[in-house]
Amino acid sequence: MSTFKRAPQHSAVPKPSILSTLRATSMLDTKTALPAEIIESILDYLPVPDLLRFARTSKRMCEMVYDDTRWVARLKTMGCWNELEARRRFEEAMKRKRDTLVRPAANGAPNPNAVRQASTTIFDAALEEERLKIQGDKALQPRESRLDGFETLSLNTSQSKSPYEDPAALLDVLKNVRSIRGHARQEYGKVYGALAPFYFDLVRAKTHTEPVVFKVFRDPERQAQMLSNLEIFGKSDWTQGFLQRETKLINMITIFESAVLREFEQGYEFWDVDGRMRRYAHILHILNGGNAAMDLFIHKHPILDDREILGNPMECIHQASEDDVTLEPSRVFFELLVKKLNEQSGVIGRIFPQPANVFWIFVDKIREEIIMEYVTPLLDECHDRHMPSYLKAVSGLFEQCMQFVRSLIPPKGSERSLDDHVKDIALRVFEPHLDLYLEEELDSFTKFADHEVGNWEQKLSEQEATVESFYMGNFNRQVDKNDFLSSFKKVVMMPVTVLPSAISTFGASKPAPASASNRDSVRKSVTDTPTSSRPQTPGLGGASEQTRGPLPSEAPSDELKAKAALMANRLEGIRSLFSIEVALSLVHAAKESLGRAAKFISLGGQAGEEAREQCEAMFVVLVKILGQTHVKNGFAKAVEHLSRYNPREISDHSQTGVAPLVMFIELVNVGDIISQMIEVFYEQQLAAPKIADRNDFLDPAGLAKKKFEQMLDENVAAGLNKGIDVLMDEVEYICATTQLPTDFNPPPPSPEAGVPTDPDIGPTETAKRVTELVASHTKMLVGSTEKTMLDVFNSEVGLRLFTAVCKHIKRQRISTDGAIKLIADMTMYFEYIRTLKNPDLLDYFKALRELSQIYLIDARHAKEMATIIADGDRFGGIFRAEEVYEFAERRADWYQVKRDVERAMYGLECQIM
């Protein structure tokens, strides 16, 4: 129970009723009529005086008006706010504040702010009383003393005079604006206080003599500066009627600009460069950048009216021979133009405050009115007359134009480098012609390449038809035309010397040194075969070029001689199936075209990229035509000629090389030279100047080069495969025709002759010729083909030689006395194979050498012979016992030892106990 008691009331006043209290209360609605966002938008369109009066209505409205972002926006519209400077000032202020707080703590002194904060309560009566007193003093100040809310602002702390007494301070008011966060209103207030009176006075004026700005500032330089400031200040005027005020201001500035421009023009007429022209050009620059003075100076310049003295572009055509063009007149034209522009560069530097900009605008006008009027008609006329002269003119004029701009001496102060101006002006001059030129350049090179290769193919076809017509004109071409052996059977009883050999000389390209002796021996075999006049592929030496003689005066009298001579001519023509001359011609033409087009890559941008792509396209066309059309077809014909070769139709086999294979290897050397030419061209013309990227596997030029190399390798491999067949045919022919029956089975010495004192135990002549023949062809490929392909070729030749030797042994009768020569032959083959440095291949000939020893075993040791035959490990798994048995059957005394060998091998001597 509560013990609270009311205090007694001695003089109590009658308490009013609650209803009377409610009746006396006036209900006030404190809810705002508009949202804050709408109020913010309205404030943006209020004049500055109204805006500051609005701030006095309430604390909230004051915060909205004094918001720093509102005044920063106005300063930004005038271009007077630098965000980087504001950030830098803010960071410096924060750093000073931190240093102030840290310094007392470092000295051991108490922090006064901390003491103050500790002694301050929620409501400090003394501080609150002081704050209210200050507000009361401000409220007692008369309103008339305030000026639009900027009563605390001044243009300069040291300025005590009015603007009329010191108007110079008003000219730099915009330059003195500082970018300080939290003080944007004060900074704008300085600008407003200085420029607003002149601004509103000028827009109220009805004539150009009324504005006070022209009375305060008498000289035109200051008038121009003030008008420029007012134009900038007008950008912050967002209130109602700002368009009319802006129009009035622009009209007044235009009147002033026209008056100044008339003075500049009068000075221009009298060529008063250092007087009126210089002064009024600077005034116009202060006013609005001076564009009007620049336009007047450029458009009225006398050089634009005297362009005829610079030359006639048609002189480049008239002074040259027919279907040609000379660029000497254009060179004189550009030199004279450079001289005149360099003279004007000094004049412009004396007149204008920013001469570099005026000079390059003037050069661009010269480019448009003079240079393009000179270049365009010349290029159009050259294009209509002759395409090569057009290509030459475009490239030459472009280079002269680039040199023209580089020779200019511009005034100092340009924002861009001279190289940038060179590219820009050259691009503007030649951009209308660039697409057509690049297209015509590529098309011209493609046509030239097709024409060169087509002429070469046509010459070969005509010569082949002429030779065939000459040799076969006296015979029925429908009878035995493609079968030489059918004609050979008709005269099989004729002497072998009737059949002429089919080989002639060929140009040296780059085989191994051993190939020179091969060519000499091949050249000796050309005895009775007439030569023909066929397009030549020169050797690298130049002076050692070989020429072919004309056709003989009379055709062969019989069909066999005619076909032999025709085959000889075809084999001889293997090396001329594609030509180094044609390759050189195409490469030089590609270099010229690419060199002309590559000049435009320096322009950069889209034009430079298009020029670079066209340069790569030219290389792709070169590789495609040279590879697919020229080299590939040549290899195909060479392989076809190789397939027609028959060693039995050749009368002289004393040479150390198979003629068609020697010539095909020469063709491989020529192909390798062409491949190296393409590689050098790619590295020097594309990779080095960064036209093509060798590291980009999708680059068109790199893909084309790899495709060409792949095609060359495939065709060389196909030709070498056919060449190996021809080489082995020659080996078998030599073995069949030169191996005497007495080499491996000599007759027993007669009693009268006695025992020879110096028996020949060396290899036979057949083995020497075979080894020399094969070795000469394998050495010829050294240096002209890749090591991988060379190893494959040597491996295939070795295996095929092994097979041919095995077949040859199985056709012989070998006695014990003749086994010495057989072993010597096998040893010679083994030593040759050793030079190829192929261990796997060496095992075959090592087994063959071991196999030859079974013929050395005497007939009395049949059991030991059987043991050797059955020993599979002895031959390294190369020969099986059945195969060794077949070789053993070629012993001269086989039928004497057969019974004993078979008994020992198959156990026929065993008896059942």
Side-chain angles (χ1 to χ4, degrees), residues 174 195 221-235 249 253 256 283 285-289:
L174 294 178
L195 301 181
E221 286 83 1
R222 293 190 173 190
Q223 292 175 352
Q225 181 65 55
M226 197 60 188
L227 289 175
S228 177
N229 291 345
L230 293 179
E231 185 178 9
I232 296 174
F233 175 75
K235 296 179 181 179
L249 177 62
I253 293 176
F256 179 81
I283 292 174
H285 175 74
I286 294 173
L287 180 64
N288 55 13

Side-chain angles (χ1 to χ4, degrees), residues 464 604 610 787:
E464 288 179 0
E610 290 177 357
K787 185 178 182 302

Side-chain angles (χ1 to χ4, degrees), residues 342 476 611 621 629:
N342 287 336
N476 184 2
V621 170
T629 307

Side-chain angles (χ1 to χ4, degrees), residues 737-763:
T737 56
T738 62
Q739 192 78 66
L740 300 177
T742 57
D743 287 344
F744 301 138
N745 188 16
S750 60
E752 294 79 6
V755 180
T757 58
D758 189 13
D760 183 11
I761 60 174

Side-chain angles (χ1 to χ4, degrees), residues 254-270:
T254 303
I255 294 173
F256 179 81
E257 182 182 19
S258 300
V260 175
L261 194 61
R262 282 195 300 270
E263 295 293 332
F264 178 83
E265 186 175 5
Q266 291 177 4
Y268 196 10
E269 293 176 355
F270 293 99

Side-chain angles (χ1 to χ4, degrees), residues 59-90:
K59 184 177 180 180
R60 184 180 181 187
M61 296 301 105
C62 181
E63 292 175 352
M64 295 177 67
V65 171
Y66 284 9
D67 185 14
D68 201 55
T69 58
R70 181 178 311 282
W71 306 100
V72 168
R74 291 180 180 268
L75 292 175
K76 284 184 176 180
T77 57
M78 297 189 297
C80 298
W81 182 265
N82 189 341
E83 189 64 33
L84 294 178
E85 180 186 355
R87 185 181 295 112
R88 179 179 57 81
R89 289 178 178 273
F90 176 76

